Amino acid sequence: MSDPLRPRASLRTAVVWEVLRDALDRRVKAAGPEAGGVLDVLDTGGGSGKFAVDVARLGHRVTVVDPSPNALFALERRAAEAGVADRVRGVQGDTHGLFDVVERGAYDAVLCHGVLEYVEDPAESVRNVVEALRPAGTLSLLAAGLGGAVLGRALAGHFTEARQVLADPDGHWGAGDPVRRRFTAEQLSGLVMGAGLEVGAVHGVRVFADLVPGVLLDAEPGAMEALLQLEAAAAALPAFHSVATQLHVLAERG
């Protein structure tokens, strides 16, 4: 059965969404009936609300912090169209100055998706988002994977760029690379543990999705759902973390 709460770009987000939704459900149960089933969630770099609106549909209150006024305007429109405008708040800011716009220790869960690739100091950003958590909070961290970029550039015939990803300390393949840095699963886990959290799970995201030609998905009946199932099956296996386009780390306070 299709999930009406699954984000639209399901091939790119399905694995993260399923892990995140399960984590939020566990946090609701841990909070007890006095919380009324409602969590306070912070989405840093949440942009136009790809995840925030779906989290709000679950009944939670979501604060989105993003540096782009245009993205926040799109967030407001998306939340209104989804009927959750009363549960979604957008504020302009970034992880460097996070506590200029939000409170410390005020959130049951924090999403930090697609942020560490672009900030000046990834370790500082992770420390800040962790400080925004309540004592029993959950962190959902998503960042670009190093190995996926190597594989992607090589399969596209850009062998020099693929080698450059391996050689560059930040996993950057050249002047045309829109991504500032990439990470291994070990690097992301190290940042999380260095900020005082325990890693609960690591998943590879978009292991196959970025490598499969779109024409195959369009031509073969059932191919999209089969690829979704393949992504889900491979995501938790460490062998595939090294070739994933993105890496997702779920972490909690001990």
Side-chain angles (χ1 to χ4, degrees):
M1 180 181 297
S2 63
D3 179 359
L5 294 177
R6 177 180 286 168
R8 293 173 186 173
S10 56
L11 265 179
R12 293 174 175 268
T13 59
V15 168
V16 178
W17 174 245
E18 295 301 327
V19 173
L20 176 61
R21 187 175 61 173
D22 288 348
L24 294 176
D25 287 346
R26 291 195 300 272
R27 185 57 56 207
V28 166
K29 292 176 182 176
E34 61 274 12
V38 178
L39 303 176
D40 290 303
V41 179
L42 175 65
D43 188 355
T44 60
S48 61
K50 180 168 56 178
F51 280 92
V53 168
D54 288 281
V55 170
R57 282 179 175 146
L58 296 175
H60 306 307
R61 294 181 291 263
V62 188
T63 299
V64 176
V65 175
D66 196 277
S68 168
N70 290 336
L72 293 174
F73 178 76
L75 166 71
E76 183 178 351
R77 184 174 61 241
R78 177 180 282 187
E81 291 173 352
V84 295
D86 58 329
R87 295 196 292 275
V88 177
R89 178 175 71 101
V91 292
Q92 190 172 0
D94 55 33
T95 54
H96 173 69
L98 186 61
F99 301 113
D100 294 335
V101 293
V102 302
E103 295 182 29
R104 297 176 189 269
Y107 297 92
D108 301 291
V110 173
L111 282 59
C112 184
H113 295 173
V115 172
L116 299 188
E117 298 94 320
Y118 306 103
V119 296
E120 187 70 30
D121 187 344
E124 177 201 43
S125 292
V126 174
R127 288 194 300 269
N128 283 349
V129 297
V130 169
E131 286 186 32
L133 286 170
R134 288 175 174 149
T138 296
L139 172 65
S140 174
L141 182 67
L142 181 68
L146 178 71
V150 176
L151 186 60
R153 300 317 291 169
L155 290 179
H158 304 301
F159 306 120
T160 300
E161 293 176 353
R163 185 162 54 86
Q164 179 62 25
V165 175
L166 288 172
D168 188 86
D170 292 324
H172 194 74
W173 53 254
D177 191 347
V179 178
R180 185 171 183 176
R181 64 175 60 81
R182 296 177 175 87
F183 302 87
T184 65
E186 292 75 19
Q187 288 171 331
L188 286 179
S189 296
L191 288 172
V192 167
M193 291 186 291
L197 297 189
E198 292 184 0
V199 174
V202 179
H203 290 86
V205 180
R206 292 157 59 190
V207 176
F208 308 102
D210 291 353
L211 305 177
V212 176
V215 65
L216 293 181
L217 297 178
D218 296 334
E220 187 70 25
M224 181 73 74
E225 186 60 32
L227 181 54
L228 279 168
Q229 293 176 6
L230 177 61
E231 288 279 353
L237 300 177
F240 291 98
H241 295 169
S242 60
V243 295
T245 299
Q246 293 178 304
L247 296 164
H248 182 245
V249 175
L250 189 75
E252 299 177 340
R253 292 193 186 278

